[in-house]
Amino acid sequence: MTGEIAPGRPGNLTPEQEEKLRRLWQLVFQVCGVAPTENGIAVAPNSTPAPVAASSVDKSPKKGRMSIFSRRGRKESDPVESVVAAPTGRSPTVVLSPPKEGEHDKYGQTQHFYDTLASMTPESIRATIWSMVKHDHPDALLLRFLRARKWEVEKALVMMISTMSWRANDMKVDEDIMTNGDAAAVEAEKNATDPAEKRLGHDFLQQARIGKSFIHGVDKIGRPVCYVRVRLHKQGEQVEKSLERYTVYVIETCRYLLQPPVDTATIVFDMTGFSLANMDYTPVKFMIKCFEANYPESLGAVLVHKAPWVFQGKVIRGWLDPVVANKVHFTNNVKEMEEFIAVKQLPKELEGEEDWEYEFVEPVPGENDKMKDTATRDRLLAAREMLVKEFEDTTLQWIQHPDDEKSAEIKGRRASLVTQLREDYWGLDPYLRARSYYDRTGVLLPGGKINFYPKPAQESEKMVVELTNGVAAVKITPVAAPAVETTPDDVD
């Protein structure tokens, strides 16, 4: 891993890209009802605004009421009234530029955007955005949507808000999937009285226990590698809802293993031993939709290993957005895989040299006890809210002062707050997220440090990703890594 920051990321933006980022923050704040109060602190509305039905949106240009949304810093070509303020106590009135001729909204996100504004309050959209940020740089999240939409700000806004509705309402990513984790699936499998709930827990665990997909190690440029063993999937063995929940769980878990400058992952679809019994387009299409619509700019490379000839053409690439399709590579042997993953870090089942096999570690009794401490959780959440408000306020100032004498000072304050938000999240994490296989095996360590290759103490070679001045570096040292065995007392 070189430590270089890729273009279009925090710390490596052109002036034009930085202006696009300002504009997107401006529109996100307006959708979320964030504005400075009299004392200059950004806050969300205290009262619940009445939602505006999509059909009632007034498409006539209006003058926004929020003083921060002035013309300062805008180009004449930018759409001024794409999002304008609504009367007090209502959701924002939204006017999007008409689509260009020939444009296709593959997943219907524009309508989803309007539906979201009609059904979710500004404060709930804001809360969902910050729950998705987690330990990430807030700018990095917005920049993913901007890059995915080729820096067209309105389209990035539509995609982002549509994603927030998907997370909060369709999948309940943070409220359910990550909060409950596999420990809740164990409980449901053993004790649920509702047959559907019991089946859901069993199906979720079955996928984890056999290792249908898992994250292990990194590729040659430090990206986490997610392996999908296609031969272990049999159509109809798990209910569709469980397939979708497990897919989102693995993707979301992988996000915890990303540290700047690494912000993408590599997926290996191992099709060794593939047969017609494994053919099931539905979960594949769901995964594709996840990455294209809701986790943009998250794929570094996709390796399809030993695919039957029928897949090595338009079958897979034909389903994909051209940008994603260009990241797909077909490999047939270890030499071809070694172009992406060092052979020493490739498991033996893929003809590599690493003597490692996936073996699921069951949840440890008491590992999620901190989640029961709601008083501490609420205290930490309140403290985090103050940090978030301070970041929002500073970002509002950054929007107002793009290139004047205050600019450098404001940018420095934002950078400091980003570091505080990241560190603060890891203190809060054990109270919000159920522990995972990666916590139990010493891959994901307290404080957000990562050991991609934990081994027994007598043969330990430790790879830890550490963050220094906002840049990640991989350090490999011959020191003892923690054993995988944990107890309720030492699990964070």
Side-chain angles (χ1 to χ4, degrees), residues 167-408:
R167 290 181 69 88
N169 302 319
D170 299 348
M171 295 306 302
K172 301 186 184 302
V173 176
D174 296 304
E175 177 187 340
D176 177 9
I177 294 177
M178 302 311 294
T179 296
N180 292 317
D182 50 17
V186 170
E187 176 64 22
E189 182 186 47
K190 290 180 179 178
N191 301 318
T193 55
D194 180 354
E197 184 182 350
K198 194 178 191 72
R199 173 72 187 272
L200 199 62
H202 169 77
D203 286 359
F204 185 96
L205 285 169
Q206 185 183 28
Q207 297 175 84
R209 285 168 174 158
I210 65 176
K212 181 186 290 186
S213 61
F214 56 84
I215 305 154
H216 177 68
V218 293
D219 66 10
K220 285 188 170 181
I221 58 176
R223 297 178 295 208
V225 181
C226 178
Y227 294 89
V228 181
R229 301 193 285 191
V230 180
R231 67 184 178 277
L232 298 182
H233 175 77
K234 301 292 192 298
Q235 186 174 12
E237 277 194 346
Q238 289 93 32
V239 295
E240 186 175 335
K241 183 177 180 180
S242 180
L243 291 169
E244 293 181 354
R245 285 173 62 86
Y246 188 70
T247 298
V248 171
Y249 181 74
V250 173
I251 295 173
E252 197 70 20
T253 300
C254 193
R255 292 185 63 222
Y256 290 95
L257 304 181
L258 297 176
Q259 292 192 330
V262 174
D263 64 354
T264 59
T266 289
I267 296 183
V268 175
F269 286 95
D270 178 14
M271 301 189 73
T272 304
F274 179 86
S275 69
L276 290 178
N278 308 124
M279 189 174 291
D280 190 358
Y281 292 149
T282 301
V284 175
K285 289 187 175 181
F286 175 78
M287 184 183 300
I288 290 171
K289 181 179 180 181
C290 281
F291 284 114
E292 289 188 349
N294 300 304
Y295 293 98
E297 294 289 305
S298 294
L299 287 177
V302 179
L303 309 184
V304 184
H305 188 58
K306 293 190 175 180
W309 66 269
V310 69
F311 285 91
Q312 298 194 29
K314 296 182 179 179
V315 173
I316 291 179
R317 287 197 174 103
W319 296 342
L320 301 173
D321 175 270
V323 174
V324 177
N326 287 335
K327 299 176 181 179
V328 176
H329 308 272
F330 292 93
T331 61
N332 293 293
N333 53 58
V334 68
K335 185 176 180 180
E336 292 175 353
M337 290 200 75
E338 194 178 7
E339 180 181 343
F340 302 92
I341 304 171
V343 68
K344 289 184 178 180
Q345 295 170 356
L346 195 63
K348 284 188 174 180
E349 72 173 71
L350 287 167
E351 303 174 68
E353 297 177 3
E354 189 190 14
D355 188 13
W356 180 89
E357 293 183 4
Y358 175 86
E359 184 177 349
F360 184 66
V361 178
E362 296 285 333
V364 178
E367 67 180 8
N368 296 317
D369 279 354
K370 284 189 176 182
M371 298 181 72
K372 301 175 184 177
D373 185 358
T374 56
T376 300
R377 180 202 65 195
D378 291 347
R379 175 177 56 79
L380 293 173
L381 283 171
R384 183 168 181 79
E385 175 66 9
M386 295 303 294
L387 272 178
V388 167
K389 287 180 179 179
E390 189 175 353
F391 178 84
E392 290 173 336
D393 180 55
T394 306
T395 300
L396 292 172
Q397 295 175 37
W398 176 63
I399 292 169
Q400 288 180 307
H401 303 280
D403 294 301
D404 58 22
E405 66 281 358
K406 294 183 179 180
S407 179

